[in-house]
Amino acid sequence: MRHVVGLGEGRGGAGGGGASFSGFLSPAKVEHSTLGESPAMKRARVAATGPKAEFFDDAGLDDGDVALAGKVGSLNGELLAEFESLLAFYASKKTEPWRERQYRKIVAVLKNLPFRITCLEDLNRPQCAVLNGGHTRTRVEEFLRRGKIQLAQNLQNDPRTVAISMLMNFGVQGGKGKYGSYVGTSTAEKWYDSGITTLPQLQHRIESDPTFLTHNQRVMWDFRSDFSQRVPRREVELIADVIAGVFPSSSVVEVMGSYSRGAPDCGDIDLLVTCHGDVGRRCSEAVEALTKAQFITATLRDSHHAPGAHSGQWMGGCRLASLVPARPGFADYTLHRRLDIKVYPPKFRAFAQLYFGSGQEFNRAIRLFATRQGYTLSDQGLRRATRGKNEKGEYGTLWEGPLLEDPSGCNWTTEASIFEFLGLPFIPLEDRDNGIGVARLEAMARAQATKPAAEEDCFIVPTDPRSVVAAANLQRLAPLPSLAEGWRSNGIVALDCEFVGVGRNTSGIGGERNALARASVVSYSGDVLLDTFVKVEEPVTDFRIHVTGLTQANLDQGISFQEARDHVIRLLEGRVVVGHSLAHDFKVLNYHPPAVLLRDTSSCPHLRPGDKGKSLKALSEQHLGVKIQDGTHCSVEDARAALYLYRSVQDLWDPTPPVLGTSAKAEALDKHLTEAAENMAAPVATGHNEPLAQHFDRLAARSHHYAKDHYVRVSRTLRSLPYHLQSPKDLLRPELRCVGRGKAHADIVRMLHEGVNEVNKGA
DNA sequence: CGGCTGTACTG
DNA sequence: CAGTAC
DNA sequence: GCCG
């Protein structure tokens, strides 16, 4: 049961700040405790005891260490300072986002490590994982030996780093780690390169040129002094009450961020509002009222009021003073505060809590974990997803399913349900921003990775001893093509079904329609994931026993059609499906995955039929040298046969993974790709667009991060095109979609008109 | 060698 | 698209 | 920078 502080009660008990803001009496509930433990902390603490203790046992920690956790930091002060210098250096360089991240993790761990590092062996403790890599371990070793890290010493006073850090924080000390100034590494570097290196210079430039700053930068500049002040808990609570006052009474307002972790004061205020109805509209209405009341004093970001949006959000500055008149003996609340408000419908509440209650690294870690499990996790739910490389070699989401329901039936009411779904122990709030939770997630991920393919995914009803015997021939096939990485083994299954005839028996051969009687799915390694008989609702008019070998007794052992279909879809969804004449199977299953995911051995250009035709039996004999379907068919055997046929030509037929959009877009995209494939002449030598490609190589060489990735993609795509790019119209072709509509597009158009050299002269 | 969270704003 | 935020 |  959650602890809910109603408005009337909370105020009186808290000793009364004397705040009376008529018109802003909060109808909504505010969830926070005015003293001691917050409900979120309590929730976390209660749920934490089991798994946390386990983790620390594994970690080889004793209770003393645990007790220290949370109020340490000075234990490794000197080492921390060294790494903070290194972090500052890399954080000032836009070319080093990943090193920066790594150092950020290192610093986070050192700040919270419950023991002092005195020897190299300490690095073997699991919490020190990030310190135990190649470079970092060497640096720590150097520190233990000489009491300092030379590189850090050298970089510590690097004037460029110092200046850029100053610019990124508008000269405010202790910046970073609270909220952004809207001046990142790129802008700061630009300013630095233009000669702005000191605060007075920056100030002069800002004052003399009214267009120098963007709107958001201007807000952060104007309020930089107020925003840098910590907000006491008491004021956070008052502000939460104000916000609650402008939302419907059924809403719930929760204070997230450092407040929820018990901090005595906060850098900014992060509020999660859960309300029914159109969250976008509720958010807009609230912001409007707060602006009218002069509570909101600046806006940094406001979600457009899009009806039916999944969330509404507003970011900006606020001040209590207009609502809480100054009175002698009480704080006058004149400081402006950074406030974020996010509004979600109840179904996303736990996801939003998870996101806004955790630190960045924890969120990245748990989302990465979800991805590795075949899901994608965000503040707006959980979906099935497969990731891999598409045909252009870009890494990304190949397929994404609809929002998942909570299998526990609790409708994702708690964060715990999300952890449970992902197979993770509940990680308490206090461990979600200090590196400990991240370390636990990474440990879980590693454990998961070494676990064999999920056996609980398999659903096997003992069917027919022949399936084992018959398939043995195929199992002996060796050597199989080496298992390629990623999607080439994980994302592929093979399907085969057996049918019996139902309906009016007109011709004497079979019923007029097919009914599913047995379904089999095997993994890339040939293991049976599903094999079951299926009950047939209608009377069977033809068992086709010479082919299927099935009898009424077999079907009676089976599961219902609906059940079988669910199992099949669960195993096939988002995966490449191999089979022979799959159309029949999908028609009967009434399930139609996008064509880009299908590999039908009956129509494979690399499996040329021989004299005996292109039946599965003939192809197996011809290409695999194996006799199958000797007597009646076995769907496991047939699925394996199709799988091994596929694997025998996989490199030729299927060198790269399929491209897919999200569910809604999938069909359209699939159509595009099919058309593109048809339009495109048979593959010919590549390299037709070398000069264009080289242009993007040059751009890539001097770009960074996302921009660099983009140019590399464009270059690669241009090189691999089987035709000359001649007119801007060609850019409309789907295979060139990755060019986008921006600079790359413009450059290509210009180069087509003016020639490559002209364009490069300009650049 | 190449991936490293996911979403959404502003300019 | 690039930059930035959370 | 780290990891597989």
Side-chain angles (χ1 to χ4, degrees), chain A residues 252-535:
Chain A
V252 178
V253 177
E254 287 167 281
V255 188
M256 309 303 285
S258 52
Y259 177 96
S260 70
R261 291 187 285 262
D265 48 45
C266 310
D268 62 357
I269 302 131
D270 209 348
L271 298 180
L272 169 61
V273 183
T274 312
C275 74
H276 295 277
D278 185 335
V279 288
R281 175 182 291 277
R282 296 278 167 276
C283 184
S284 303
E285 288 166 356
V287 167
E288 199 181 325
L290 294 168
T291 309
K292 209 172 278 174
Q294 295 180 343
F295 172 76
I296 283 179
T297 50
T299 290
L300 292 163
R301 170 169 166 171
D302 196 1
S303 59
H304 298 258
H305 168 222
H310 286 163
S311 73
Q313 47 181 295
W314 175 90
M315 288 163 43
C318 69
R319 181 160 82 152
L320 276 172
S322 63
L323 302 174
V324 186
R327 281 194 298 160
F330 291 97
D332 58 3
Y333 302 118
T334 52
L335 289 177
H336 295 264
R337 306 298 195 182
R338 265 290 280 113
L339 172 66
D340 289 354
I341 304 172
K342 348 256 174 180
V343 191
Y344 286 80
K347 66 171 172 172
F348 292 141
R349 182 180 182 190
F351 294 98
Q353 283 175 325
L354 179 61
Y355 178 49
F356 296 111
S358 310
Q360 173 180 243
E361 287 306 331
F362 183 85
N363 280 317
R364 293 167 83 149
I366 195 169
R367 288 173 181 202
L368 184 63
F369 184 86
T371 296
R372 300 249 165 95
Q373 303 293 302
Y375 301 97
T376 168
L377 171 67
S378 79
D379 55 336
Q380 290 158 47
L382 194 57
R383 304 163 183 276
R384 275 270 285 116
T386 39
R387 307 191 74 198
K389 287 183 191 169
N390 65 19
E391 60 191 18
K392 295 192 207 85
E394 304 160 12
Y395 188 85
T397 302
L398 302 175
W399 176 89
E400 206 175 296
L403 279 183
L404 288 177
E405 300 290 327
D406 185 352
S408 76
C410 296
N411 224 1
W412 304 119
T413 40
T414 62
E415 291 168 286
S417 65
I418 304 170
F419 283 94
E420 190 189 334
F421 179 89
L422 291 172
L424 291 169
F426 184 86
I427 295 174
L429 210 44
E430 61 266 29
D431 285 345
R432 294 195 211 154
D433 74 333
N434 61 10
I436 293 178
V438 174
R440 294 182 68 188
L441 285 182
E442 286 172 355
M444 291 294 296
R446 242 168 258 137
Q448 196 76 35
T450 54
K451 215 175 84 178
E455 277 176 37
E456 65 273 17
D457 268 1
C458 303
F459 181 87
I460 303 171
V461 176
T463 49
D464 184 348
R466 280 170 306 168
S467 57
V468 182
V469 179
N473 286 332
L474 289 159
Q475 289 288 40
R476 279 192 276 105
L477 277 181
L480 288 166
S482 65
L483 289 183
E485 288 300 313
W487 79 277
R488 300 202 73 197
S489 54
N490 296 334
I492 298 174
V493 291
L495 165 78
D496 191 62
C497 300
E498 301 289 336
F499 314 116
V500 293
V502 294
R504 202 155 53 93
N505 190 341
T506 45
S507 62
I509 300 181
E512 58 177 349
R513 282 169 290 117
N514 283 331
L516 185 67
R518 181 175 171 188
S520 303
V521 177
V522 301
S523 73
Y524 187 80
S525 53
D527 297 330
V528 180
L529 301 176
L530 169 73
D531 185 29
T532 180
F533 292 126
V534 181
K535 283 195 172 69

Side-chain angles (χ1 to χ4, degrees), chain A residues 400-713:
Chain A
E400 206 175 296
L403 279 183
L404 288 177
E405 300 290 327
D406 185 352
S408 76
C410 296
N411 224 1
W412 304 119
T413 40
T414 62
E415 291 168 286
S417 65
I418 304 170
F419 283 94
E420 190 189 334
F421 179 89
L422 291 172
L424 291 169
F426 184 86
I427 295 174
L429 210 44
E430 61 266 29
D431 285 345
R432 294 195 211 154
D433 74 333
N434 61 10
I436 293 178
V438 174
R440 294 182 68 188
L441 285 182
E442 286 172 355
M444 291 294 296
R446 242 168 258 137
Q448 196 76 35
T450 54
K451 215 175 84 178
E455 277 176 37
E456 65 273 17
D457 268 1
C458 303
F459 181 87
I460 303 171
V461 176
T463 49
D464 184 348
R466 280 170 306 168
S467 57
V468 182
V469 179
N473 286 332
L474 289 159
Q475 289 288 40
R476 279 192 276 105
L477 277 181
L480 288 166
S482 65
L483 289 183
E485 288 300 313
W487 79 277
R488 300 202 73 197
S489 54
N490 296 334
I492 298 174
V493 291
L495 165 78
D496 191 62
C497 300
E498 301 289 336
F499 314 116
V500 293
V502 294
R504 202 155 53 93
N505 190 341
T506 45
S507 62
I509 300 181
E512 58 177 349
R513 282 169 290 117
N514 283 331
L516 185 67
R518 181 175 171 188
S520 303
V521 177
V522 301
S523 73
Y524 187 80
S525 53
D527 297 330
V528 180
L529 301 176
L530 169 73
D531 185 29
T532 180
F533 292 126
V534 181
K535 283 195 172 69
V536 177
E537 301 295 326
E538 292 178 69
V540 176
T541 47
D542 187 349
F543 282 98
R544 301 171 193 167
I545 193 162
H546 60 288
V547 176
T548 61
L550 296 172
T551 64
Q552 185 64 52
N554 291 142
L555 303 195
D556 288 344
Q557 300 166 30
I559 57 180
S560 75
F561 172 79
Q562 197 52 50
E563 216 178 325
R565 181 173 182 271
D566 288 347
H567 279 301
V568 169
I569 291 175
R570 179 177 56 89
L571 291 168
L572 265 49
E573 205 172 41
R575 295 197 165 107
V576 166
V577 183
V578 175
H580 199 77
S581 301
L582 284 165
H584 291 132
D585 304 75
F586 290 138
K587 185 178 174 195
V588 174
L589 285 166
N590 189 22
Y591 170 59
H592 300 280
V596 277
L597 285 182
L598 305 184
R599 303 293 180 271
D600 196 319
T601 50
S602 70
S603 53
C604 170
H606 306 284
L607 292 168
R608 292 275 165 230
D611 306 338
K612 295 182 182 168
K614 57 173 192 175
S615 69
L616 187 61
K617 185 184 171 92
L619 291 179
S620 297
E621 192 162 348
Q622 185 191 337
H623 293 278
L624 303 175
V626 174
K627 284 199 163 149
I628 61 162
Q629 300 175 352
D630 196 11
T632 57
H633 295 201
C634 162
S635 47
V636 170
E637 182 189 57
D638 289 357
R640 282 185 178 152
L643 175 78
Y644 289 139
L645 279 169
Y646 168 80
R647 288 182 56 162
S648 73
V649 294
Q650 188 178 8
D651 290 338
L652 283 172
W653 189 14
D654 214 9
T656 55
V659 194
L660 271 182
T662 51
S663 44
K665 293 181 231 155
E667 228 172 279
L669 183 55
D670 183 35
K671 203 172 139 220
H672 257 296
L673 290 168
T674 315
E675 281 168 12
E678 282 164 5
N679 291 341
M680 223 189 293
V684 291
T686 55
H688 290 78
N689 303 290
E690 193 54 29
L692 294 183
Q694 280 175 14
H695 168 77
F696 289 102
D697 286 343
R698 282 190 290 271
L699 281 182
R702 55 170 205 256
S703 313
H704 306 290
H705 213 193
Y706 296 112
K708 188 189 194 79
D709 290 354
H710 181 62
Y711 293 136
V712 167
R713 259 197 304 277

Side-chain angles (χ1 to χ4, degrees), chain A residues 87-339:
Chain A
L87 169 60
F89 177 74
Y90 289 116
S92 75
K93 297 180 79 73
K94 73 170 168 187
T95 55
E96 301 283 0
W98 305 117
R99 271 198 186 83
E100 179 197 345
R101 177 186 176 192
Q102 205 59 37
Y103 278 109
R104 204 173 285 291
K105 282 181 164 182
I106 290 164
V107 164
V109 166
L110 284 177
K111 272 188 183 159
N112 295 284
L113 208 55
F115 56 88
R116 185 178 169 80
I117 295 175
T118 53
C119 60
L120 268 185
E121 285 66 53
D122 287 339
L123 297 188
N124 297 331
R125 299 229 220 167
Q127 305 96 316
C128 292
V130 279
L131 292 158
N132 209 8
H135 278 216
T136 310
R137 194 183 160 89
T138 316
R139 302 246 187 270
V140 175
E141 192 179 356
E142 182 188 348
F143 175 82
L144 290 174
R145 212 160 3 93
R146 309 176 40 202
K148 58 178 183 173
I149 296 173
Q150 195 53 50
L151 180 63
Q153 300 285 316
N154 296 347
L155 296 178
Q156 202 162 33
N157 298 313
D158 173 49
R160 192 186 154 283
T161 304
V162 171
I164 287 182
S165 307
M166 182 278 294
L167 293 172
M168 287 171 67
N169 296 308
F170 287 136
V172 176
Q173 291 302 310
K176 205 67 203 165
K178 323 187 292 253
Y179 43 76
S181 64
Y182 292 87
V183 179
T185 49
S186 285
T187 310
E189 273 188 16
K190 209 170 66 190
W191 290 353
Y192 180 78
D193 291 342
S194 76
I196 303 171
T197 58
T198 66
L199 190 54
Q201 282 170 339
L202 176 65
Q203 183 155 10
H204 177 258
R205 192 78 167 76
I206 289 172
E207 282 165 6
S208 61
D209 179 359
T211 64
F212 183 68
L213 295 180
T214 67
H215 171 260
N216 285 0
Q217 288 164 350
R218 164 66 64 177
V219 169
M220 296 311 292
W221 170 261
D222 288 345
F223 292 117
R224 66 191 183 285
S225 148
D226 278 16
F227 285 172
S228 68
Q229 306 289 311
R230 307 289 297 178
V231 194
R233 287 184 79 84
R234 172 73 187 135
E235 190 174 337
V236 173
E237 287 151 15
L238 291 176
I239 288 174
D241 287 345
V242 170
I243 306 308
V246 289
F247 279 92
S249 58
S250 61
S251 311
V252 178
V253 177
E254 287 167 281
V255 188
M256 309 303 285
S258 52
Y259 177 96
S260 70
R261 291 187 285 262
D265 48 45
C266 310
D268 62 357
I269 302 131
D270 209 348
L271 298 180
L272 169 61
V273 183
T274 312
C275 74
H276 295 277
D278 185 335
V279 288
R281 175 182 291 277
R282 296 278 167 276
C283 184
S284 303
E285 288 166 356
V287 167
E288 199 181 325
L290 294 168
T291 309
K292 209 172 278 174
Q294 295 180 343
F295 172 76
I296 283 179
T297 50
T299 290
L300 292 163
R301 170 169 166 171
D302 196 1
S303 59
H304 298 258
H305 168 222
H310 286 163
S311 73
Q313 47 181 295
W314 175 90
M315 288 163 43
C318 69
R319 181 160 82 152
L320 276 172
S322 63
L323 302 174
V324 186
R327 281 194 298 160
F330 291 97
D332 58 3
Y333 302 118
T334 52
L335 289 177
H336 295 264
R337 306 298 195 182
R338 265 290 280 113
L339 172 66

